[in-house]
């Protein structure tokens, strides 16, 4: 999870934006918006990855994707000679790394753990936060020393050195895949799940929370640069996002095992509202770092909640497919949110309006979750 495609091409991409535009002269808004096709590709592929995981098991899926992701990232560094080839190369890298996401890894944990499932998910997914905290500054260092193209190639080589051995020698398919009928046990089929209001309310909540939280967190290095911070200090803000992400992953996962999960998740989904309000009410540097904590809390909570709530509500029968569909919403939000914020901000001239709109969007997510809870209570 530390080297998942989203860490490099979504969170890590934030430190590439300014160096790429300075080196090439390409339009910054266009470069920043490249996150959108990354998210679209990953999002559309998530249900496919979920179906493949249900069919072949996470071990095989992860082994193949670790190699293809590395090839894709190296290709970005080699092929990016103009803006068009850069966009195409990034989209292809996103496609080739589409299975190096939380879909197969969450399947492994949910399939092996039951009594302490929330804590197990929190521990595993906390390494996403570690990646957010440490990988962008490391990439920023590589960029400053050897350039942004080299940084992409190095990321590809390092990722395969870690993810391929894990897939081959550590990952084991969970017991649900060892059943003779390979149905994955009890639970809803995809068709039955999508006929429920719960499925759509959760899907909307997951999308809007990540849309708002990722828009805030991934934009923070650019916001700091616009406010006069040097590149190193601007990249450091992602470490705060990652650290708060880790704390929330570990703490929230344990809390899910002990408290009603829907109200708890709804409370956590208020964090991006606070983060955007902090940004729109001050133009200083310190509030940007404070907002990073709240954005990290929001993204950290969602990673635990999405697998936990889906497994509790719909079971393991079609978990890979259902998780893939919901992960698509999460990924699309992660890419479309930052791109939308950059467009609304108009290269830093309309930040107040952009942060105000995103605070309102973020507030809808917890409302949807509570509506789901109320709908299910009335159905009983």
């Amino acid at each position: 999870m530390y080297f998942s495609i989203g860490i490099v091409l979504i969170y890590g991409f934030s430190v590439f934006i300014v160096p790429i535009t300075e080196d090439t002269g390409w339009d910054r808004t266009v470069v920043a918006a490249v996150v959108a096709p990354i998210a679209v590709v990953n999002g559309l592929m998530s249900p496919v990855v979920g179906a493949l995981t249900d069919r072949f098991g996470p071990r095989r899926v992860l082994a193949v994707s670790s190699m293809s992701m590395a090839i894709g990232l190296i290709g970005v560094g080699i092929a990016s000679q103009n803006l068009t080839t850069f966009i195409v190369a990034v989209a292809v890298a996103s496609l080739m790394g589409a299975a190096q996401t939380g879909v197969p890894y969450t399947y492994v944990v949910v399939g092996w753990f039951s009594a302490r499932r929330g804590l197990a998910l929190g521990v595993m997914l906390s390494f996403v936060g570690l990646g957010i905290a440490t990988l962008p500054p490391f990439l920023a260092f590589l960029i400053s020393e050897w350039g942004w193209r080299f940084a992409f190639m190095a990321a590809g080589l390092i990722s395969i050195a870690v993810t391929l051995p894990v897939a081959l020698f550590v990952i084991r398919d969970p017991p649900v895949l060892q059943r003779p009928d390979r149905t994955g046990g009890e639970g809803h089929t995809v068709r039955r799940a999508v006929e429920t209001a719960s499925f759509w309310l959760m899907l909307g909540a997951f999308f809007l929370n990540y849309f708002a939280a990722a828009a805030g967190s991934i934009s923070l290095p650019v916001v700091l640069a616009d406010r006069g911070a040097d590149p190193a200090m601007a990249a450091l803000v992602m470490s705060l996002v990652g650290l708060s992400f880790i704390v929330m992953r570990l703490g929230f996962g344990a809390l899910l095992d002990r408290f009603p999960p829907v109200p708890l998740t709804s409370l956590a989904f208020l964090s991006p509202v606070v983060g955007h309000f902090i940004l729109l009410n001050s133009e200083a540097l310190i509030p940007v770092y404070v907002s990073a904590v709240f954005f990290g809390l929001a993204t950290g909570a969602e990673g635990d909640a999405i697998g936990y709530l889906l497994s509790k509500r719909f079971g393991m029968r079609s978990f890979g497919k259902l998780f893939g569909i919901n992960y698509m919403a999460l990924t699309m939000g992660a890419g479309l949110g930052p791109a939308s914020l950059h467009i609304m901000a108009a290269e830093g001239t309309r930040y107040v309006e952009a942060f105000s709109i995103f605070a309102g969007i973020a507030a809808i997510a917890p409302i949807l979750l509570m509506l789901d809870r109320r709908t299910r209570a009335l159905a009983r």
Side-chain angles (χ1 to χ4, degrees):
M1 289 304 300
Y2 182 91
F3 288 104
S4 59
I5 192 67
I7 301 299
V8 179
L9 280 187
I10 295 181
Y11 284 98
F13 192 78
S14 60
V15 300
F16 283 93
I17 296 172
V18 173
I20 288 174
T21 55
E22 290 180 348
D23 178 53
T24 62
W26 300 337
D27 183 82
R28 191 174 82 175
T29 302
V30 175
V31 173
V34 170
V35 176
I38 296 171
V40 169
V41 171
N42 273 343
L44 293 176
M45 285 298 296
S46 292
V48 178
V49 173
L52 291 173
T53 305
D54 280 334
R55 179 70 177 85
F56 298 105
R59 186 169 181 265
R60 293 180 185 178
V61 170
L62 290 170
V64 173
S65 66
S66 66
M67 294 182 283
S68 60
M69 184 180 80
I71 294 170
L73 290 174
I74 293 170
V76 175
I78 295 174
S80 302
Q81 302 305 314
N82 56 62
L83 182 57
T84 301
T85 57
F86 172 69
I87 295 172
V88 172
V90 169
V92 170
S94 180
L95 176 65
M96 297 179 73
Q100 279 294 325
T101 64
V103 177
Y105 289 111
T106 299
Y107 193 105
V108 172
V109 172
V110 170
W112 279 108
F113 293 88
S114 179
R116 293 292 180 267
R117 181 175 291 169
L119 180 60
L121 283 169
V123 172
M124 185 269 288
L125 294 170
S126 67
F127 281 83
V128 175
L130 186 63
I132 294 172
T134 59
L135 201 57
F138 176 66
L139 291 172
F141 167 76
L142 293 180
I143 293 168
S144 66
E145 294 294 323
W146 294 286
W148 61 272
R149 291 181 176 87
F150 175 86
F152 273 115
M153 291 186 284
L157 293 172
I158 294 170
S159 68
I160 193 173
V162 175
T163 59
L164 185 57
V166 168
L168 294 177
F169 306 117
V170 179
I171 295 293
R172 291 293 178 269
D173 290 338
V176 294
L177 286 171
Q178 299 166 14
R179 292 165 53 96
D181 58 3
R182 298 181 68 86
T183 60
E186 298 179 356
H188 288 56
T189 62
V190 174
R191 180 175 180 178
R192 184 182 170 196
V194 299
E195 291 174 349
T196 66
S198 293
F199 177 85
W200 296 104
L201 288 169
M202 282 195 285
L203 189 75
F206 295 146
F207 172 78
L208 292 175
N209 178 71
Y210 229 83
F211 183 84
S217 59
I218 296 174
S219 301
L220 292 179
V222 178
V223 173
L224 283 168
D226 287 338
R227 295 185 180 186
D230 62 70
M233 289 298 293
L236 184 63
V237 73
M238 296 307 294
S239 297
L240 280 178
V241 175
L243 290 173
S244 59
F245 185 104
I246 293 170
V247 171
M248 193 60 158
R249 279 279 160 96
L250 294 173
F252 192 75
L255 291 174
L256 282 171
D257 292 323
R258 293 171 172 81
F259 295 99
V262 173
L264 186 67
T265 305
S266 299
L267 182 63
F269 277 12
L270 291 173
S271 297
V273 180
V274 178
H276 284 289
F277 267 120
I278 291 173
L279 290 174
L280 70 88
N281 282 296
S282 175
E283 295 185 359
L285 296 181
I286 296 299
V288 179
Y289 293 99
V290 176
S291 71
V293 174
F294 286 96
F295 293 132
L297 293 177
T299 52
E302 177 149 359
D304 290 353
I306 187 171
Y308 190 94
L309 293 178
L310 286 173
S311 63
K312 288 291 186 181
R313 178 68 176 88
F314 302 112
M316 287 297 296
R317 182 172 182 176
S318 301
F319 180 80
K321 299 182 185 73
L322 293 172
F323 188 86
I325 294 169
N326 280 267
Y327 199 85
M328 174 179 68
L330 182 150
T331 307
M332 298 281 271
L336 297 176
S340 300
L341 192 147
H342 278 292
I343 292 170
M344 292 181 191
E347 296 197 3
T349 61
R350 304 191 65 176
Y351 273 135
V352 173
E353 293 91 337
F355 294 141
S356 299
I357 292 171
F358 272 82
I361 292 171
I364 301 173
I367 295 173
L368 292 179
L369 281 183
M370 293 307 295
L371 282 175
D372 172 41
R373 185 170 185 259
R374 179 174 175 80
T375 300
R376 279 190 277 168
L378 291 173
R380 296 192 191 101

